[in-house]
Amino acid sequence: MGRTGVSRRRRVRPGDVAGSTIARATLHNIDEIRRKNVREGDTIIVHKAGDVIPEVVGPVLDKRPADSVDWHMPEVCPVCGSPVVHEDGEVAYRCVSIDCPAQLKERLLTG
């Protein structure tokens, strides 16, 4: 997850995409995950958005596991256990704790 909780990045099995070895790809946000119908365990198609950013195009439905389920945003922060909130009309989901170690780390890194 990015610093703001908006972008979802996933590790993928490393592979070659347009001359680069890709090990992570962006899913942008929860709305895009739903629109593209991407689920955990899916085999995915990745391309370079703008010839730079590895982006998930979508799942390979013929390879989807029969027991796959939709991915849902956690209701509590996986790092500190505080509630995760989502304001109507916004894309971002945020941990409400100002003492969350993950947020503190990201603030230092992006300061």
Short mmCIF file of all heavy atoms in Angstrom, two decimals, residues 37-107:
data_model
loop_
_atom_site.label_atom_id
_atom_site.label_comp_id
_atom_site.label_asym_id
_atom_site.label_seq_id
_atom_site.Cartn_x
_atom_site.Cartn_y
_atom_site.Cartn_z
N ASN A 37 -12.14 -6.59 -11.61
CA ASN A 37 -12.53 -7.91 -11.10
C ASN A 37 -11.31 -8.77 -10.78
O ASN A 37 -11.23 -9.94 -11.15
CB ASN A 37 -13.46 -8.62 -12.09
CG ASN A 37 -14.07 -9.88 -11.51
OD1 ASN A 37 -14.17 -10.04 -10.30
ND2 ASN A 37 -14.48 -10.79 -12.38
N VAL A 38 -10.33 -8.18 -10.08
CA VAL A 38 -9.12 -8.89 -9.69
C VAL A 38 -9.32 -9.46 -8.30
O VAL A 38 -9.80 -8.77 -7.40
CB VAL A 38 -7.88 -7.97 -9.73
CG1 VAL A 38 -6.64 -8.69 -9.24
CG2 VAL A 38 -7.67 -7.44 -11.14
N ARG A 39 -8.97 -10.73 -8.14
CA ARG A 39 -9.11 -11.42 -6.86
C ARG A 39 -7.77 -12.01 -6.44
O ARG A 39 -6.89 -12.25 -7.28
CB ARG A 39 -10.14 -12.54 -6.97
CG ARG A 39 -11.51 -12.04 -7.35
CD ARG A 39 -12.46 -13.19 -7.49
NE ARG A 39 -13.78 -12.72 -7.91
CZ ARG A 39 -14.80 -13.53 -8.08
NH1 ARG A 39 -14.69 -14.83 -7.87
NH2 ARG A 39 -15.97 -13.03 -8.46
N GLU A 40 -7.64 -12.28 -5.14
CA GLU A 40 -6.42 -12.93 -4.65
C GLU A 40 -6.28 -14.27 -5.33
O GLU A 40 -7.25 -15.00 -5.52
CB GLU A 40 -6.47 -13.11 -3.13
CG GLU A 40 -6.23 -11.82 -2.40
CD GLU A 40 -5.95 -12.04 -0.94
OE1 GLU A 40 -5.15 -12.93 -0.60
OE2 GLU A 40 -6.53 -11.30 -0.14
N GLY A 41 -5.04 -14.60 -5.70
CA GLY A 41 -4.77 -15.88 -6.35
C GLY A 41 -4.94 -15.86 -7.85
O GLY A 41 -4.63 -16.84 -8.52
N ASP A 42 -5.43 -14.75 -8.42
CA ASP A 42 -5.61 -14.66 -9.87
C ASP A 42 -4.28 -14.65 -10.60
O ASP A 42 -3.28 -14.11 -10.11
CB ASP A 42 -6.34 -13.37 -10.25
CG ASP A 42 -7.85 -13.48 -10.19
OD1 ASP A 42 -8.36 -14.62 -10.07
OD2 ASP A 42 -8.52 -12.44 -10.28
N THR A 43 -4.28 -15.24 -11.79
CA THR A 43 -3.21 -15.01 -12.75
C THR A 43 -3.60 -13.71 -13.44
O THR A 43 -4.75 -13.53 -13.82
CB THR A 43 -3.15 -16.17 -13.77
OG1 THR A 43 -2.84 -17.38 -13.06
CG2 THR A 43 -2.11 -15.91 -14.84
N ILE A 44 -2.65 -12.78 -13.55
CA ILE A 44 -2.99 -11.46 -14.06
C ILE A 44 -2.18 -11.10 -15.30
O ILE A 44 -1.14 -11.69 -15.57
CB ILE A 44 -2.76 -10.38 -12.98
CG1 ILE A 44 -1.32 -10.44 -12.47
CG2 ILE A 44 -3.79 -10.49 -11.87
CD1 ILE A 44 -0.92 -9.30 -11.58
N ILE A 45 -2.69 -10.13 -16.03
CA ILE A 45 -1.99 -9.56 -17.17
C ILE A 45 -1.44 -8.21 -16.71
O ILE A 45 -2.18 -7.41 -16.12
CB ILE A 45 -2.94 -9.36 -18.36
CG1 ILE A 45 -3.52 -10.71 -18.79
CG2 ILE A 45 -2.23 -8.66 -19.51
CD1 ILE A 45 -4.68 -10.60 -19.75
N VAL A 46 -0.14 -7.98 -16.95
CA VAL A 46 0.51 -6.74 -16.55
C VAL A 46 1.09 -6.07 -17.79
O VAL A 46 1.62 -6.73 -18.68
CB VAL A 46 1.65 -7.02 -15.53
CG1 VAL A 46 2.41 -5.76 -15.19
CG2 VAL A 46 1.10 -7.67 -14.28
N HIS A 47 0.97 -4.73 -17.84
CA HIS A 47 1.64 -3.97 -18.89
C HIS A 47 2.28 -2.75 -18.25
O HIS A 47 2.04 -2.46 -17.08
CB HIS A 47 0.67 -3.60 -20.02
CG HIS A 47 -0.19 -2.41 -19.71
ND1 HIS A 47 -0.35 -1.37 -20.57
CD2 HIS A 47 -0.92 -2.08 -18.61
CE1 HIS A 47 -1.16 -0.47 -20.04
NE2 HIS A 47 -1.52 -0.88 -18.86
N LYS A 48 3.10 -2.06 -19.01
CA LYS A 48 3.73 -0.84 -18.51
C LYS A 48 2.86 0.35 -18.88
O LYS A 48 2.77 0.71 -20.06
CB LYS A 48 5.13 -0.67 -19.08
CG LYS A 48 6.17 -1.53 -18.43
CD LYS A 48 7.52 -1.12 -18.97
CE LYS A 48 8.63 -1.91 -18.37
NZ LYS A 48 9.93 -1.50 -18.96
N ALA A 49 2.23 0.97 -17.91
CA ALA A 49 1.44 2.17 -18.14
C ALA A 49 2.39 3.32 -18.41
O ALA A 49 3.31 3.55 -17.63
CB ALA A 49 0.54 2.46 -16.93
N GLY A 50 2.18 4.03 -19.48
CA GLY A 50 3.08 5.13 -19.82
C GLY A 50 4.49 4.67 -20.06
O GLY A 50 5.44 5.42 -19.86
N ASP A 51 4.67 3.42 -20.46
CA ASP A 51 5.97 2.80 -20.71
C ASP A 51 6.86 2.77 -19.47
O ASP A 51 8.07 2.61 -19.58
CB ASP A 51 6.72 3.52 -21.84
CG ASP A 51 6.06 3.31 -23.18
OD1 ASP A 51 5.47 2.22 -23.38
OD2 ASP A 51 6.13 4.22 -24.03
N VAL A 52 6.28 2.95 -18.27
CA VAL A 52 7.09 2.99 -17.07
C VAL A 52 6.50 2.15 -15.93
O VAL A 52 7.14 1.25 -15.41
CB VAL A 52 7.27 4.45 -16.57
CG1 VAL A 52 8.08 4.48 -15.29
CG2 VAL A 52 7.93 5.30 -17.63
N ILE A 53 5.28 2.44 -15.50
CA ILE A 53 4.69 1.87 -14.30
C ILE A 53 4.02 0.53 -14.59
O ILE A 53 3.10 0.47 -15.42
CB ILE A 53 3.66 2.84 -13.69
CG1 ILE A 53 4.33 4.16 -13.34
CG2 ILE A 53 2.98 2.22 -12.47
CD1 ILE A 53 3.37 5.26 -13.00
N PRO A 54 4.46 -0.57 -13.94
CA PRO A 54 3.79 -1.85 -14.13
C PRO A 54 2.36 -1.79 -13.58
O PRO A 54 2.16 -1.51 -12.40
CB PRO A 54 4.64 -2.83 -13.33
CG PRO A 54 5.92 -2.12 -13.07
CD PRO A 54 5.61 -0.67 -13.06
N GLU A 55 1.39 -2.00 -14.43
CA GLU A 55 -0.02 -1.90 -14.06
C GLU A 55 -0.74 -3.20 -14.35
O GLU A 55 -0.53 -3.81 -15.41
CB GLU A 55 -0.68 -0.77 -14.84
CG GLU A 55 -2.17 -0.67 -14.62
CD GLU A 55 -2.85 0.30 -15.56
OE1 GLU A 55 -2.30 0.62 -16.63
OE2 GLU A 55 -3.95 0.74 -15.21
N VAL A 56 -1.60 -3.62 -13.44
CA VAL A 56 -2.44 -4.79 -13.66
C VAL A 56 -3.55 -4.42 -14.62
O VAL A 56 -4.32 -3.49 -14.36
CB VAL A 56 -3.02 -5.31 -12.33
CG1 VAL A 56 -3.99 -6.46 -12.59
CG2 VAL A 56 -1.91 -5.75 -11.39
N VAL A 57 -3.62 -5.12 -15.75
CA VAL A 57 -4.67 -4.89 -16.74
C VAL A 57 -5.93 -5.62 -16.31
O VAL A 57 -7.03 -5.08 -16.38
CB VAL A 57 -4.23 -5.35 -18.14
CG1 VAL A 57 -5.35 -5.21 -19.15
CG2 VAL A 57 -3.00 -4.58 -18.58
N GLY A 58 -5.77 -6.85 -15.85
CA GLY A 58 -6.91 -7.63 -15.41
C GLY A 58 -6.53 -9.08 -15.21
O GLY A 58 -5.39 -9.48 -15.46
N PRO A 59 -7.49 -9.88 -14.76
CA PRO A 59 -7.23 -11.29 -14.50
C PRO A 59 -7.37 -12.14 -15.77
O PRO A 59 -8.02 -11.73 -16.74
CB PRO A 59 -8.33 -11.67 -13.51
CG PRO A 59 -9.47 -10.79 -13.89
CD PRO A 59 -8.84 -9.49 -14.33
N VAL A 60 -6.74 -13.31 -15.74
CA VAL A 60 -6.95 -14.32 -16.77
C VAL A 60 -8.03 -15.24 -16.20
O VAL A 60 -7.75 -16.09 -15.35
CB VAL A 60 -5.65 -15.09 -17.08
CG1 VAL A 60 -5.90 -16.16 -18.13
CG2 VAL A 60 -4.54 -14.14 -17.51
N LEU A 61 -9.27 -15.02 -16.62
CA LEU A 61 -10.41 -15.70 -16.01
C LEU A 61 -10.36 -17.22 -16.16
O LEU A 61 -10.81 -17.95 -15.28
CB LEU A 61 -11.72 -15.15 -16.56
CG LEU A 61 -11.96 -13.67 -16.22
CD1 LEU A 61 -13.25 -13.19 -16.89
CD2 LEU A 61 -12.03 -13.45 -14.72
N ASP A 62 -9.78 -17.72 -17.26
CA ASP A 62 -9.67 -19.18 -17.46
C ASP A 62 -8.77 -19.84 -16.42
O ASP A 62 -8.85 -21.04 -16.22
CB ASP A 62 -9.12 -19.49 -18.85
CG ASP A 62 -10.08 -19.12 -19.97
OD1 ASP A 62 -11.26 -18.84 -19.67
OD2 ASP A 62 -9.64 -19.09 -21.14
N LYS A 63 -7.91 -19.04 -15.77
CA LYS A 63 -6.99 -19.60 -14.77
C LYS A 63 -7.41 -19.26 -13.34
O LYS A 63 -6.69 -19.58 -12.40
CB LYS A 63 -5.57 -19.09 -15.03
CG LYS A 63 -5.00 -19.60 -16.33
CD LYS A 63 -3.56 -19.21 -16.49
CE LYS A 63 -2.99 -19.82 -17.76
NZ LYS A 63 -1.55 -19.61 -17.84
N ARG A 64 -8.56 -18.62 -13.16
CA ARG A 64 -9.02 -18.24 -11.82
C ARG A 64 -9.37 -19.49 -11.01
O ARG A 64 -10.10 -20.35 -11.48
CB ARG A 64 -10.25 -17.33 -11.92
CG ARG A 64 -10.82 -17.00 -10.54
CD ARG A 64 -11.87 -15.95 -10.60
NE ARG A 64 -11.20 -14.66 -10.70
CZ ARG A 64 -11.80 -13.53 -11.05
NH1 ARG A 64 -13.08 -13.53 -11.36
NH2 ARG A 64 -11.13 -12.40 -11.11
N PRO A 65 -8.88 -19.58 -9.75
CA PRO A 65 -9.24 -20.72 -8.90
C PRO A 65 -10.75 -20.74 -8.64
O PRO A 65 -11.39 -19.70 -8.50
CB PRO A 65 -8.48 -20.45 -7.60
CG PRO A 65 -7.40 -19.49 -7.96
CD PRO A 65 -7.93 -18.68 -9.11
N ALA A 66 -11.32 -21.92 -8.60
CA ALA A 66 -12.76 -22.08 -8.40
C ALA A 66 -13.23 -21.51 -7.07
O ALA A 66 -14.37 -21.08 -6.94
CB ALA A 66 -13.15 -23.55 -8.50
N ASP A 67 -12.34 -21.48 -6.06
CA ASP A 67 -12.73 -21.01 -4.74
C ASP A 67 -12.33 -19.55 -4.48
O ASP A 67 -12.30 -19.10 -3.35
CB ASP A 67 -12.14 -21.91 -3.65
CG ASP A 67 -10.61 -21.94 -3.69
OD1 ASP A 67 -10.01 -21.42 -4.66
OD2 ASP A 67 -10.01 -22.50 -2.75
N SER A 68 -12.06 -18.79 -5.54
CA SER A 68 -11.63 -17.40 -5.35
C SER A 68 -12.77 -16.55 -4.80
O SER A 68 -13.94 -16.82 -5.02
CB SER A 68 -11.13 -16.80 -6.66
OG SER A 68 -12.20 -16.55 -7.54
N VAL A 69 -12.39 -15.54 -4.04
CA VAL A 69 -13.37 -14.61 -3.46
C VAL A 69 -12.91 -13.18 -3.72
O VAL A 69 -11.73 -12.92 -3.92
CB VAL A 69 -13.56 -14.83 -1.94
CG1 VAL A 69 -14.17 -16.18 -1.64
CG2 VAL A 69 -12.24 -14.68 -1.20
N ASP A 70 -13.86 -12.26 -3.72
CA ASP A 70 -13.53 -10.85 -3.89
C ASP A 70 -12.62 -10.39 -2.76
O ASP A 70 -12.74 -10.84 -1.62
CB ASP A 70 -14.79 -9.98 -3.87
CG ASP A 70 -15.63 -10.16 -5.12
OD1 ASP A 70 -15.07 -10.52 -6.17
OD2 ASP A 70 -16.84 -9.94 -5.05
N TRP A 71 -11.72 -9.46 -3.07
CA TRP A 71 -10.83 -8.88 -2.07
C TRP A 71 -11.54 -7.70 -1.42
O TRP A 71 -12.22 -6.92 -2.09
CB TRP A 71 -9.54 -8.42 -2.73
CG TRP A 71 -8.55 -7.91 -1.73
CD1 TRP A 71 -7.67 -8.65 -1.02
CD2 TRP A 71 -8.36 -6.55 -1.34
NE1 TRP A 71 -6.94 -7.83 -0.20
CE2 TRP A 71 -7.35 -6.53 -0.38
CE3 TRP A 71 -8.96 -5.36 -1.71
CZ2 TRP A 71 -6.90 -5.37 0.23
CZ3 TRP A 71 -8.52 -4.19 -1.10
CH2 TRP A 71 -7.50 -4.21 -0.16
N HIS A 72 -11.42 -7.59 -0.11
CA HIS A 72 -12.03 -6.49 0.61
C HIS A 72 -10.97 -5.75 1.41
O HIS A 72 -10.04 -6.35 1.94
CB HIS A 72 -13.12 -7.00 1.57
CG HIS A 72 -14.27 -7.62 0.86
ND1 HIS A 72 -15.27 -6.88 0.28
CD2 HIS A 72 -14.57 -8.90 0.61
CE1 HIS A 72 -16.14 -7.69 -0.28
NE2 HIS A 72 -15.74 -8.92 -0.10
N MET A 73 -11.12 -4.44 1.48
CA MET A 73 -10.22 -3.62 2.27
C MET A 73 -10.35 -4.03 3.75
O MET A 73 -11.47 -4.23 4.23
CB MET A 73 -10.59 -2.15 2.11
CG MET A 73 -9.64 -1.19 2.78
SD MET A 73 -7.99 -1.15 2.08
CE MET A 73 -8.28 -0.26 0.57
N PRO A 74 -9.25 -4.17 4.46
CA PRO A 74 -9.32 -4.51 5.89
C PRO A 74 -10.08 -3.43 6.68
O PRO A 74 -10.01 -2.25 6.35
CB PRO A 74 -7.86 -4.55 6.34
CG PRO A 74 -7.05 -4.61 5.10
CD PRO A 74 -7.87 -4.03 4.00
N GLU A 75 -10.79 -3.86 7.70
CA GLU A 75 -11.51 -2.91 8.56
C GLU A 75 -10.63 -2.36 9.66
O GLU A 75 -10.95 -1.35 10.27
CB GLU A 75 -12.75 -3.58 9.15
CG GLU A 75 -13.79 -3.91 8.09
CD GLU A 75 -15.03 -4.55 8.66
OE1 GLU A 75 -15.18 -4.59 9.90
OE2 GLU A 75 -15.86 -5.00 7.86
N VAL A 76 -9.53 -3.06 9.93
CA VAL A 76 -8.55 -2.59 10.91
C VAL A 76 -7.18 -2.58 10.26
O VAL A 76 -6.88 -3.38 9.37
CB VAL A 76 -8.52 -3.45 12.20
CG1 VAL A 76 -9.84 -3.37 12.94
CG2 VAL A 76 -8.16 -4.88 11.91
N CYS A 77 -6.34 -1.67 10.70
CA CYS A 77 -4.98 -1.55 10.18
C CYS A 77 -4.21 -2.83 10.49
O CYS A 77 -4.17 -3.26 11.64
CB CYS A 77 -4.30 -0.34 10.83
SG CYS A 77 -2.57 -0.16 10.37
N PRO A 78 -3.58 -3.44 9.48
CA PRO A 78 -2.82 -4.67 9.73
C PRO A 78 -1.55 -4.44 10.55
O PRO A 78 -0.98 -5.39 11.07
CB PRO A 78 -2.48 -5.17 8.33
CG PRO A 78 -2.57 -3.97 7.45
CD PRO A 78 -3.59 -3.06 8.08
N VAL A 79 -1.13 -3.19 10.72
CA VAL A 79 0.08 -2.89 11.46
C VAL A 79 -0.22 -2.60 12.93
O VAL A 79 0.40 -3.15 13.82
CB VAL A 79 0.86 -1.72 10.82
CG1 VAL A 79 2.05 -1.32 11.65
CG2 VAL A 79 1.28 -2.10 9.40
N CYS A 80 -1.21 -1.72 13.18
CA CYS A 80 -1.44 -1.30 14.57
C CYS A 80 -2.80 -1.72 15.13
O CYS A 80 -3.04 -1.56 16.32
CB CYS A 80 -1.28 0.22 14.70
SG CYS A 80 -2.61 1.17 13.98
N GLY A 81 -3.69 -2.22 14.28
CA GLY A 81 -4.99 -2.69 14.76
C GLY A 81 -6.05 -1.61 14.95
O GLY A 81 -7.15 -1.90 15.40
N SER A 82 -5.73 -0.37 14.59
CA SER A 82 -6.71 0.72 14.70
C SER A 82 -7.71 0.62 13.55
O SER A 82 -7.43 0.02 12.51
CB SER A 82 -6.00 2.07 14.64
OG SER A 82 -5.16 2.23 15.75
N PRO A 83 -8.89 1.24 13.70
CA PRO A 83 -9.88 1.21 12.63
C PRO A 83 -9.36 1.88 11.35
O PRO A 83 -8.57 2.82 11.40
CB PRO A 83 -11.05 2.01 13.19
CG PRO A 83 -10.87 1.97 14.67
CD PRO A 83 -9.39 1.92 14.90
N VAL A 84 -9.82 1.36 10.22
CA VAL A 84 -9.55 1.96 8.92
C VAL A 84 -10.84 2.66 8.49
O VAL A 84 -11.92 2.07 8.56
CB VAL A 84 -9.15 0.88 7.89
CG1 VAL A 84 -9.09 1.45 6.48
CG2 VAL A 84 -7.82 0.26 8.28
N VAL A 85 -10.74 3.92 8.09
CA VAL A 85 -11.93 4.69 7.73
C VAL A 85 -11.91 5.05 6.24
O VAL A 85 -10.86 5.15 5.62
CB VAL A 85 -12.07 5.98 8.57
CG1 VAL A 85 -12.23 5.65 10.04
CG2 VAL A 85 -10.89 6.91 8.36
N HIS A 86 -13.10 5.23 5.71
CA HIS A 86 -13.28 5.63 4.32
C HIS A 86 -14.35 6.70 4.28
O HIS A 86 -15.49 6.46 4.70
CB HIS A 86 -13.69 4.43 3.47
CG HIS A 86 -13.97 4.79 2.06
ND1 HIS A 86 -15.24 4.71 1.52
CD2 HIS A 86 -13.16 5.23 1.08
CE1 HIS A 86 -15.19 5.08 0.25
NE2 HIS A 86 -13.94 5.41 -0.03
N GLU A 87 -13.99 7.88 3.82
CA GLU A 87 -14.94 8.99 3.71
C GLU A 87 -15.70 8.87 2.40
O GLU A 87 -15.10 8.60 1.35
CB GLU A 87 -14.21 10.33 3.77
CG GLU A 87 -13.41 10.55 5.04
CD GLU A 87 -14.28 10.68 6.28
OE1 GLU A 87 -15.42 11.17 6.17
OE2 GLU A 87 -13.81 10.28 7.36
N ASP A 88 -17.01 9.06 2.43
CA ASP A 88 -17.81 9.03 1.21
C ASP A 88 -17.26 10.01 0.19
O ASP A 88 -16.90 11.13 0.53
CB ASP A 88 -19.27 9.37 1.51
CG ASP A 88 -20.01 8.24 2.22
OD1 ASP A 88 -19.54 7.09 2.13
OD2 ASP A 88 -21.04 8.51 2.86
N GLY A 89 -17.19 9.58 -1.05
CA GLY A 89 -16.71 10.44 -2.12
C GLY A 89 -15.21 10.45 -2.29
O GLY A 89 -14.70 11.03 -3.23
N GLU A 90 -14.47 9.81 -1.39
CA GLU A 90 -13.01 9.74 -1.50
C GLU A 90 -12.58 8.34 -1.92
O GLU A 90 -13.30 7.37 -1.70
CB GLU A 90 -12.34 10.08 -0.16
CG GLU A 90 -12.43 11.54 0.20
CD GLU A 90 -11.53 11.89 1.37
OE1 GLU A 90 -10.64 11.08 1.71
OE2 GLU A 90 -11.72 12.96 1.94
N VAL A 91 -11.41 8.25 -2.48
CA VAL A 91 -10.85 6.96 -2.86
C VAL A 91 -10.09 6.34 -1.69
O VAL A 91 -10.09 5.14 -1.50
CB VAL A 91 -9.91 7.13 -4.08
CG1 VAL A 91 -9.22 5.83 -4.42
CG2 VAL A 91 -10.70 7.63 -5.28
N ALA A 92 -9.45 7.18 -0.88
CA ALA A 92 -8.54 6.72 0.16
C ALA A 92 -9.25 6.04 1.33
O ALA A 92 -10.35 6.43 1.73
CB ALA A 92 -7.73 7.90 0.69
N TYR A 93 -8.58 5.04 1.86
CA TYR A 93 -8.92 4.40 3.13
C TYR A 93 -7.75 4.69 4.04
O TYR A 93 -6.59 4.56 3.62
CB TYR A 93 -9.06 2.88 2.96
CG TYR A 93 -10.31 2.46 2.26
CD1 TYR A 93 -10.47 2.65 0.89
CD2 TYR A 93 -11.35 1.86 2.96
CE1 TYR A 93 -11.62 2.24 0.23
CE2 TYR A 93 -12.51 1.46 2.31
CZ TYR A 93 -12.63 1.65 0.95
OH TYR A 93 -13.76 1.26 0.31
N ARG A 94 -8.01 5.07 5.28
CA ARG A 94 -6.92 5.48 6.16
C ARG A 94 -7.04 4.87 7.55
O ARG A 94 -8.12 4.79 8.11
CB ARG A 94 -6.91 6.99 6.29
CG ARG A 94 -6.54 7.71 5.02
CD ARG A 94 -6.45 9.22 5.24
NE ARG A 94 -5.96 9.89 4.06
CZ ARG A 94 -6.72 10.28 3.05
NH1 ARG A 94 -8.01 10.07 3.08
NH2 ARG A 94 -6.19 10.88 2.00
N CYS A 95 -5.89 4.53 8.10
CA CYS A 95 -5.79 4.15 9.51
C CYS A 95 -5.98 5.44 10.31
O CYS A 95 -5.42 6.48 9.96
CB CYS A 95 -4.42 3.55 9.77
SG CYS A 95 -4.02 3.32 11.51
N VAL A 96 -6.76 5.38 11.39
CA VAL A 96 -7.04 6.59 12.15
C VAL A 96 -6.00 6.91 13.22
O VAL A 96 -6.02 7.97 13.81
CB VAL A 96 -8.45 6.53 12.82
CG1 VAL A 96 -9.52 6.43 11.77
CG2 VAL A 96 -8.53 5.39 13.81
N SER A 97 -5.06 6.00 13.45
CA SER A 97 -4.06 6.20 14.50
C SER A 97 -2.91 7.09 14.04
O SER A 97 -2.22 6.77 13.07
CB SER A 97 -3.50 4.86 14.97
OG SER A 97 -2.43 5.07 15.86
N ILE A 98 -2.67 8.19 14.76
CA ILE A 98 -1.52 9.03 14.44
C ILE A 98 -0.21 8.39 14.92
O ILE A 98 0.86 8.83 14.55
CB ILE A 98 -1.66 10.46 15.01
CG1 ILE A 98 -1.77 10.42 16.54
CG2 ILE A 98 -2.84 11.17 14.39
CD1 ILE A 98 -1.69 11.77 17.18
N ASP A 99 -0.33 7.35 15.75
CA ASP A 99 0.85 6.65 16.26
C ASP A 99 1.14 5.35 15.52
O ASP A 99 1.98 4.57 15.96
CB ASP A 99 0.66 6.35 17.76
CG ASP A 99 0.57 7.62 18.57
OD1 ASP A 99 1.31 8.57 18.27
OD2 ASP A 99 -0.25 7.67 19.51
N CYS A 100 0.46 5.11 14.42
CA CYS A 100 0.66 3.87 13.66
C CYS A 100 2.11 3.81 13.16
O CYS A 100 2.57 4.74 12.49
CB CYS A 100 -0.30 3.83 12.47
SG CYS A 100 -0.06 2.40 11.41
N PRO A 101 2.84 2.75 13.47
CA PRO A 101 4.24 2.64 13.04
C PRO A 101 4.40 2.73 11.52
O PRO A 101 5.38 3.30 11.04
CB PRO A 101 4.68 1.27 13.55
CG PRO A 101 3.76 0.98 14.70
CD PRO A 101 2.45 1.63 14.34
N ALA A 102 3.47 2.19 10.76
CA ALA A 102 3.58 2.26 9.29
C ALA A 102 3.44 3.70 8.80
O ALA A 102 4.17 4.12 7.90
CB ALA A 102 2.51 1.38 8.65
N GLN A 103 2.53 4.45 9.39
CA GLN A 103 2.37 5.85 9.00
C GLN A 103 3.59 6.67 9.40
O GLN A 103 4.05 7.53 8.64
CB GLN A 103 1.11 6.45 9.63
CG GLN A 103 -0.16 5.92 9.03
CD GLN A 103 -1.35 6.72 9.51
OE1 GLN A 103 -1.33 7.94 9.46
NE2 GLN A 103 -2.36 6.03 9.97
N LEU A 104 4.11 6.42 10.60
CA LEU A 104 5.30 7.14 11.05
C LEU A 104 6.47 6.89 10.10
O LEU A 104 7.18 7.82 9.70
CB LEU A 104 5.68 6.72 12.47
CG LEU A 104 4.69 7.12 13.57
CD1 LEU A 104 5.05 6.44 14.89
CD2 LEU A 104 4.67 8.63 13.75
N LYS A 105 6.66 5.64 9.70
CA LYS A 105 7.74 5.29 8.79
C LYS A 105 7.57 6.01 7.45
O LYS A 105 8.51 6.60 6.93
CB LYS A 105 7.77 3.78 8.57
CG LYS A 105 8.81 3.33 7.57
CD LYS A 105 8.74 1.84 7.37
CE LYS A 105 9.67 1.41 6.25
NZ LYS A 105 9.54 -0.02 5.97
N GLU A 106 6.36 5.99 6.90
CA GLU A 106 6.12 6.63 5.60
C GLU A 106 6.29 8.14 5.69
O GLU A 106 6.79 8.77 4.75
CB GLU A 106 4.73 6.28 5.06
CG GLU A 106 4.63 4.85 4.56
CD GLU A 106 5.56 4.53 3.42
OE1 GLU A 106 5.80 5.41 2.55
OE2 GLU A 106 6.07 3.41 3.37
N ARG A 107 5.88 8.74 6.81
CA ARG A 107 6.08 10.19 6.96
C ARG A 107 7.57 10.54 6.98
O ARG A 107 7.98 11.55 6.44
CB ARG A 107 5.38 10.70 8.22
CG ARG A 107 3.88 10.83 8.04
CD ARG A 107 3.23 11.68 9.12
NE ARG A 107 3.30 11.12 10.45
CZ ARG A 107 2.38 10.32 11.00
NH1 ARG A 107 1.30 10.00 10.33
NH2 ARG A 107 2.52 9.87 12.21
#
